[in-house]
């Protein structure tokens, strides 16, 4: 009953200038020996380019028997269910394995030394080593969590974030949480860690080394970006994400024995690129505590501007930094952009105080760790798509701090976006992969049988909305 899929790749969508990543400097090209008596001018160092990954087109190979077996599972009346808060419990694993499809679990970002993958069920011990370490806790807001707190609150949320259908409040997903792993573990140097608890030290750089994540939110009065009943789901254009006020916030943490090697910088630059160039954010922010000097330095390195300092309710002042879409594209792609196009007038009005404030951090509480700019503890139950343990008030009368209104540089026209209008799998919403399976209704498309089945058996999913006869 398994589906054999052989992915193929096509040319990268969009034709943009190469991005310059300050973490990816290459060696001088002119390494030839200099002739005696002659001084050769050194050529300036060239930087490697970072391109948008090409589209993957799965190839579905099924025997007639396999097709019939899938169709049996995709029949009207099939049992449906949702994931309860305790998704990491063994008895819930069969449900998790169905809803967290290979496409959901397999999305990655890459840097010269790192693979940023989705957080896995088996990462529990590695997550605890970081979050239970006093050296890390000095710049975190959540104090000293217990082992059970870490699994039930943090890891549960990280794993659930890879299933976007569980939380579609306005954007098509609530956040991306990437586990930091090494491409070549032996090549990374570990400090002795003599200042760490013995139980929290690591002997090698294998597996989970920390996380780097992008939290997403949209303006409460903006157009939703999630899939709509009766319509083929496609990746929104940059204009649509601007009209929705799609913003991102960064949070991350790295094991202390790997500090000082530029690994956080590599991840920071790539997640920031991903946020603007592929996801389509109009603004990305970070809010390190005043004592997190390394995080503040990273914000400055990647063009984030300091906007304000806020004393949070934990008694740890936070320094808010941000960079807008227009600023990022000008700095990294050399694109000036043009004046805000149709559909962004309301954002302009916000600058003059005549429309809605685009500050909408959803009432999340924030945690911080080591180089950690803004790890927020918004404990999701994920029971029925929108059930949260946190205040999800979207800016309506909440008493938390709000970012300033969007400046015009946030919504300048830099093109439609590389994946704009591309048909996307309705379940995993992986815009890098082409959907190759269509439901009998004609408008629900998927990149794999596994994603199709997950949407069919999920309570409130496609089975409830399919209008095929």
């Amino acid at each position: 009953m398994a589906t054999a899929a052989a992915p193929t790749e096509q040319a990268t969508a969009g034709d943009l200038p190469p991005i310059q990543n300050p973490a990816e400097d290459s060696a001088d090209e002119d390494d030839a020996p200099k002739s005696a008596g002659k001084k050769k001018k050194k050529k300036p160092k060239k930087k490697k380019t970072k391109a948008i990954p090409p589209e993957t087109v799965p190839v579905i190979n099924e025997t007639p028997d396999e097709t019939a077996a899938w169709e049996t599972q995709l029949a009207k009346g099939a049992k449906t269910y949702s994931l309860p808060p305790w998704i990491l419990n063994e008895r819930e694993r069969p449900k998790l394995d169905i809803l967290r499809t290979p496409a959901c679990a397999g999305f990655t970002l890459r840097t010269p030394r790192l693979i940023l993958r989705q957080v896995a069920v088996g990462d529990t011990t590695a997550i605890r080593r970081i979050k239970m370490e006093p050296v890390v806790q000095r710049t975190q807001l959540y104090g000293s969590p217990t082992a059970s707190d870490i699994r039930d609150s943090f890891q549960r949320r990280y794993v659930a974030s890879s299933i976007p259908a569980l939380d579609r409040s306005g954007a098509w997903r609530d956040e991306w949480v990437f586990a930091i792993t090494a491409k070549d573990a032996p090549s990374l140097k570990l400090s002795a860690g003599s200042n760490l608890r013995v139980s929290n030290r690591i002997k090698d750089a294998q597996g989970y080394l920390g996380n780097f994540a992008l939290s997403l939110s949209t303006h409460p009065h903006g157009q939703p970006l999630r899939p709509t009943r009766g319509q083929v789901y496609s990746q929104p254009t940059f204009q649509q994400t601007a009209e929705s006020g799609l913003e991102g916030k960064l949070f991350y943490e790295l094991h202390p024995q790997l500090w000082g090697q530029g690994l956080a910088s590599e991840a920071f630059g790539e997640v920031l690129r991903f946020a603007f160039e592929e996801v389509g954010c109009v603004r990305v922010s970070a809010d390190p505590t005043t004592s997190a000097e390394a995080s503040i330095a990273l914000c400055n390195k990647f063009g984030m501007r300091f906007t304000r300092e806020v004393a949070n309710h934990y008694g740890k002042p936070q320094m808010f930094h941000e960079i807008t879409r227009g600023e990022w594209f000008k700095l990294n792609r050399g694109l000036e952009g043009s004046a805000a196009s149709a559909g962004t007038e309301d954002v302009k009005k916000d600058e003059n105080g005549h429309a809605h404030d685009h500050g909408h951090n959803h009432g999340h509480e924030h945690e911080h760790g080591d180089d950690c700019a803004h790890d927020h503890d918004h404990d999701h139950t994920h029971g029925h798509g929108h059930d949260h343990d946190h205040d999800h008030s979207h800016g309506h009368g909440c008493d938390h701090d709000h970012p300033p209104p969007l400046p015009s540089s946030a919504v300048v026209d830099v093109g439609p976006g590389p994946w704009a209008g591309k048909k996307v799998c309705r379940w995993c919403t992986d815009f890098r992969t082409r959907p190759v399976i269509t439901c009998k209704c004609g408008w629900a498309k998927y990149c794999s049988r596994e994603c199709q089945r997950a949407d069919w058996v999920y309570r409130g999913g496609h089975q409830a909305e399919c209008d095929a006869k």
Side-chain angles (χ1 to χ4, degrees):
M1 207 159 56
T3 302
T8 59
E9 293 185 346
Q10 290 191 344
T12 299
D15 185 16
L16 293 172
I19 178 176
Q20 302 300 322
N21 189 332
E24 298 181 11
D25 289 352
S26 62
D28 290 345
E29 289 186 338
D30 186 11
D31 291 326
K34 297 177 176 61
S35 56
K38 291 185 180 180
K39 289 186 178 180
K40 265 194 175 181
K41 289 184 179 180
K42 282 189 176 181
K43 294 182 179 179
K45 289 184 178 182
K46 292 189 176 181
K47 297 178 180 179
K48 295 179 181 179
T49 60
K50 179 67 179 180
I52 300 171
E55 181 186 53
T56 297
V57 184
V59 177
I60 306 298
N61 296 315
E62 291 178 352
T63 66
D65 289 344
E66 288 173 335
T67 300
W70 280 113
E71 290 179 350
T72 298
Q73 297 184 65
L74 299 167
K76 284 280 189 179
K79 183 179 179 180
T80 62
Y81 49 83
S82 56
L83 279 175
W86 45 91
I87 63 172
L88 298 183
N89 287 9
E90 284 297 326
R91 66 176 178 272
E92 303 299 337
R93 189 65 54 80
K95 296 179 184 177
L96 180 63
D97 289 343
I98 289 177
L99 297 183
R100 192 172 188 257
T101 66
C104 291
F107 194 94
T108 62
L109 300 178
R110 293 172 181 268
T111 74
R113 294 178 292 174
L114 303 174
I115 296 176
L116 306 181
R117 60 162 172 80
Q118 301 300 292
V119 178
V121 174
D123 292 331
T124 306
T125 300
I127 294 173
R128 287 174 178 167
R129 287 194 183 112
I130 298 173
K131 291 192 178 295
M132 298 185 74
E133 172 51 48
V135 170
V136 174
Q137 292 172 355
R138 290 171 190 166
T139 53
Q140 291 173 326
L141 299 184
Y142 51 75
S144 303
T146 65
S148 59
D149 288 338
I150 291 169
R151 183 174 185 270
D152 295 340
S153 296
F154 295 101
Q155 187 184 9
R156 183 185 74 189
R157 191 188 93 225
Y158 298 165
V159 171
S161 71
S162 63
I163 314 174
L166 298 187
D167 189 355
R168 287 175 174 161
S169 54
W172 59 96
R173 67 186 301 154
D174 190 62
E175 62 185 348
W176 299 81
V177 183
F178 296 99
I180 299 173
T181 66
K183 281 185 178 178
D184 179 23
S187 69
L188 299 186
K189 298 178 181 179
L190 297 181
S191 67
S194 55
N195 60 330
L196 307 180
R197 288 179 177 173
V198 174
S199 60
N200 294 332
R201 297 174 193 171
I202 56 177
K203 297 179 179 179
D204 56 52
Q206 298 287 345
Y208 180 102
L209 305 174
N211 69 61
F212 209 115
L214 173 72
S215 173
L216 298 176
S217 59
T218 54
H219 191 275
H221 302 290
Q223 289 296 315
L225 300 172
R226 58 183 178 269
T228 303
R229 179 175 183 171
Q231 297 180 13
V232 175
Y233 183 61
S234 60
Q235 178 71 2
T237 65
F238 280 0
Q239 179 172 318
Q240 289 173 315
T241 58
E243 291 170 349
S244 297
L246 181 65
E247 296 193 41
K249 283 194 173 183
L250 302 179
F251 66 90
Y252 62 97
E253 61 188 10
L254 182 67
H255 194 283
Q257 286 176 257
L258 290 164
W259 292 0
Q261 299 186 53
L263 299 177
S265 181
E266 282 190 27
F268 196 113
E270 173 59 5
V271 174
L272 198 58
R273 180 206 66 79
F274 175 71
F276 283 117
E277 197 165 38
E278 296 191 72
V279 176
C281 291
V282 293
R283 172 167 60 188
V284 176
S285 60
D287 54 0
T289 56
T290 53
S291 61
E293 296 180 0
S295 286
I296 295 170
L298 281 180
C299 290
N300 294 330
K301 176 179 181 178
F302 287 97
M304 285 186 158
R305 294 173 289 102
F306 169 74
T307 59
R308 66 203 187 284
E309 182 176 322
V310 177
N312 58 53
H313 61 274
Y314 293 98
K316 294 183 177 181
Q318 293 173 259
M319 299 183 69
F320 283 77
H321 294 72
E322 68 175 46
I323 184 171
T324 64
R325 176 189 291 174
E327 292 167 339
W328 187 90
F329 271 91
K330 181 178 180 180
L331 181 65
N332 294 280
R333 291 293 194 184
L335 296 178
E336 291 284 350
S338 58
S341 57
T344 59
E345 287 79 4
D346 287 342
V347 179
K348 289 183 177 179
K349 288 180 182 179
D350 276 344
E351 292 184 85
N352 299 319
H354 300 313
H356 302 292
D357 182 0
H358 279 246
H360 46 281
N361 61 5
H362 298 264
H364 300 327
E365 297 177 352
H366 308 306
E367 60 180 80
H368 292 254
D370 104 83
D371 279 338
C372 204
H374 175 190
D375 192 355
H376 61 274
D377 179 12
H378 60 312
D379 187 12
H380 293 227
T381 65
H382 290 292
H384 300 283
H386 298 294
D387 295 338
H388 307 295
D389 292 342
H390 67 286
D391 174 18
H392 213 44
S393 57
H394 298 268
H396 296 298
C398 47
D399 58 2
H400 53 70
D401 182 75
H402 288 266
L406 287 173
S408 57
S409 61
V411 291
V412 294
D413 184 5
V414 293
W419 308 112
K422 174 186 177 295
K423 294 177 181 178
V424 177
C425 176
R426 198 172 188 81
W427 181 254
C428 69
T429 66
D430 177 2
F431 40 75
R432 292 179 178 176
T433 303
R434 182 180 299 181
V436 291
I437 295 173
T438 304
C439 176
K440 293 177 180 177
C441 65
W443 50 268
K445 296 181 178 294
Y446 305 94
C447 66
S448 68
R449 286 291 196 186
E450 289 80 5
C451 280
Q452 184 182 20
R453 177 181 59 185
D455 199 15
W456 191 257
V457 301
Y458 181 60
R459 189 167 299 152
H462 184 58
Q463 186 178 171
E465 61 183 6
C466 182
D467 49 16
K469 301 267 175 130

